[in-house]
Amino acid sequence: PLWGVRDSGPYMHDGRAATLEHAIAMHGGEAESSAKEFFALSPKEQQQLVAFLKTLVAPAQLTASN
């Protein structure tokens, strides 16, 4: 899930990806087509998408239960 991605780096389940771009590049399987679409965007569009992702915080009720 992307909720809380703003505060969750490094990324991936084991922290292998230092950046969101690296995490996207590492995705295969069902997410492979999404990763390809991300890298087909212009550099400006990629920056805009990453900037948006970095605004996603976990809802308060999720963070309170952790």
Side-chain angles (χ1 to χ4, degrees), residues 10-11 16-24 54:
Y11 306 99
R16 290 180 289 156
T19 66
L20 287 170
E21 294 88 344
H22 189 211
I24 293 168
K54 289 182 177 180

Side-chain angles (χ1 to χ4, degrees), residues 36-48:
K36 286 181 181 179
E37 288 181 30
F38 173 80
F39 289 107
L41 297 172
S42 71
K44 181 178 180 177
E45 291 169 322
Q46 288 179 20
Q47 290 174 342
Q48 290 171 329

Side-chain angles (χ1 to χ4, degrees), residues 2 5-6 8-12 17-27 38-39 49-55:
L2 292 174
V5 75
R6 180 183 82 176
S8 65
Y11 306 99
M12 303 297 286
T19 66
L20 287 170
E21 294 88 344
H22 189 211
I24 293 168
M26 295 175 73
H27 274 81
F38 173 80
F39 289 107
L49 182 55
V50 168
F52 167 73
L53 292 173
K54 289 182 177 180
T55 69

